[in-house]
Amino acid sequence: MRTRPLASVSVDLDNLWAYLKTHGDPGWRRYPSFLPSAVPRLLEVLGEQRLTTTVFAVGADVVREDGAKAVNEIAAAGHEVGNHSFGHEPWLHRYSRDRLENELRRTEDAIVEAGAPTPIGFRGPGFSVTRELVEVLADRGYAYDASTLPTWIGPLARAYHNRTAPPAARDDGRGELFGGFSRVLAPVHAYRWRTTEGSALVELPVTTMPLLRTPIHGSYLLQLHGVSPRLARAYFKTALRLCLARGVAPSLLLHPTDVLGGTEAPGMEFFPGMATPGAGKVAWLGWVLETLREHFDVVGTGEYVRRADPRRERAVTRLDAGR
């Protein structure tokens, strides 16, 4: 019997305050939350598709009641809980080693306190990753990182951010926000980092369209869907065909905003796709996941790393951390 190719799905549990913080809105300090609306809806969609995935949680949420409840419900439903940093700042590349360790430790402690196992996977906010981060993850016993997005679109996303954000959020030295054009050269397949301690930490990139290197994760698909549903469907199907043809195991990234409308996320009018009602987003996400399942055996990121054997995959390389 032929084995179906693997794919993975993960959710970055970015909360309302985290979006406002990156955007430069001082209202983030009140920590407004849409988790009570988003998490049940996400779990319902994943349950309908019979999927067990990975949810990367933010420590500053998990230490609060609604965030701890969300993590407990996510773990109880059988999903892996990963580490998405404590303060959700997309400029982790500017952190010292001590500060990185503190970000990881505080979030680990909060996740365990909420009732989930100690995380073995990490994703940096804004796809932020450095040599030092990789080495800290390896030292702390993580099995994988999922922080890279191999695309050339980072500077365009940064330009959009600068155009829509208040002046204070544009001029605070975040010049590397969302990465540079060099990301287009990063591997699209899973690979292993080579650290100073000889760790075998796996990097699982968020998949972009093979050859074109354009994003295919939830937020971008929704933006395209707002222009033309037919075009969005064709774009995603083309991406999956290219993944199959080139032996790329898709790693699809989702966010709470993929199931929420603008009225459920006040203050996020600047974010693409928020004009689409939540019910329409849920229906679209269901189609996306169902289409992915037609071609792949879909698991969470941690399960993908566990089941795939990088030593036998032609695409896996060993790279020096920080390259």
Side-chain angles (χ1 to χ4, degrees), residues 14-317:
D14 304 348
N15 206 347
L16 176 55
W17 65 265
Y19 287 98
L20 299 180
K21 181 178 183 179
T22 301
H23 190 64
D25 186 332
W28 78 266
R29 293 184 176 86
R30 296 190 296 273
Y31 284 92
S33 174
F34 51 40
L35 296 186
S37 298
V39 172
R41 202 170 296 176
L42 283 166
L43 291 177
E44 183 177 1
V45 174
L46 294 171
E48 288 174 352
Q49 295 297 323
R50 303 183 300 281
L51 293 179
T52 303
T53 60
T54 300
V55 179
F56 291 93
V58 178
D61 279 316
V62 188
V63 296
R64 301 191 308 158
E65 183 176 354
D66 61 341
K69 181 175 184 291
V71 165
N72 187 272
E73 291 173 348
I74 289 163
H79 303 284
E80 176 191 14
V81 178
N83 190 328
H84 197 35
S85 81
F86 190 87
H88 198 277
E89 295 188 338
W91 41 93
L92 291 185
H93 49 272
R94 306 178 72 88
Y95 281 18
S96 67
R97 185 184 183 95
D98 287 346
R99 191 172 179 186
L100 286 171
E101 290 178 341
N102 188 54
E103 283 277 312
L104 294 173
R105 177 186 52 76
R106 293 174 71 191
T107 307
E108 292 162 6
D109 292 346
I111 287 172
V112 171
E113 180 68 22
T118 301
I120 62 167
F122 177 82
R123 177 173 288 135
F127 311 107
S128 181
V129 62
T130 62
R131 172 191 297 273
E132 199 139 56
L133 173 60
V134 168
E135 292 183 347
V136 171
L137 290 172
D139 289 347
R140 297 189 69 83
Y142 281 73
Y144 70 96
D145 176 68
S147 299
T148 57
L149 180 70
T151 183
W152 47 267
I153 210 165
L156 301 183
R158 185 163 60 247
Y160 178 82
H161 165 81
N162 288 337
R163 182 164 57 86
T164 60
R170 306 174 206 164
D171 304 322
D172 61 355
R174 304 173 193 178
E176 307 97 328
L177 190 63
F178 307 132
F181 285 112
S182 62
R183 290 287 178 91
V184 74
L185 302 175
V188 295
H189 302 271
Y191 56 91
R192 293 184 183 275
W193 292 106
R194 181 167 55 212
T195 69
T196 54
E197 300 300 323
S199 167
L201 185 81
V202 172
E203 180 67 36
L204 183 60
V206 175
T207 302
T208 54
M209 174 88 78
L211 302 179
L212 296 180
R213 298 293 184 102
T214 51
I216 63 171
H217 62 270
S219 301
Y220 286 87
L221 290 176
L222 270 170
Q223 191 170 8
L224 192 58
H225 185 270
V227 176
S228 167
R230 179 178 296 181
L231 178 61
R233 287 192 291 269
Y235 178 83
F236 188 60
K237 287 182 176 180
T238 299
L240 296 186
R241 284 196 292 267
L242 284 172
C243 285
L244 287 167
R246 299 186 67 82
V248 175
S251 179
L252 183 67
L253 169 62
L254 307 175
H255 290 89
T257 50
D258 296 337
V259 296
L260 296 176
T263 58
E264 298 164 302
M268 283 190 60
E269 294 78 11
F270 63 89
F271 195 76
M274 295 312 293
T276 304
K281 288 185 172 184
V282 168
W284 167 245
L285 179 57
W287 179 87
V288 168
L289 295 175
E290 186 175 352
T291 303
L292 183 65
R293 289 178 58 244
E294 288 176 3
H295 304 283
F296 297 90
D297 184 5
V298 184
V299 297
T301 49
E303 179 66 9
Y304 173 84
V305 170
R306 188 186 70 81
R307 287 171 58 174
D309 184 357
R311 293 170 297 181
R312 294 188 296 183
E313 292 183 2
R314 63 170 178 80
V316 174
T317 58

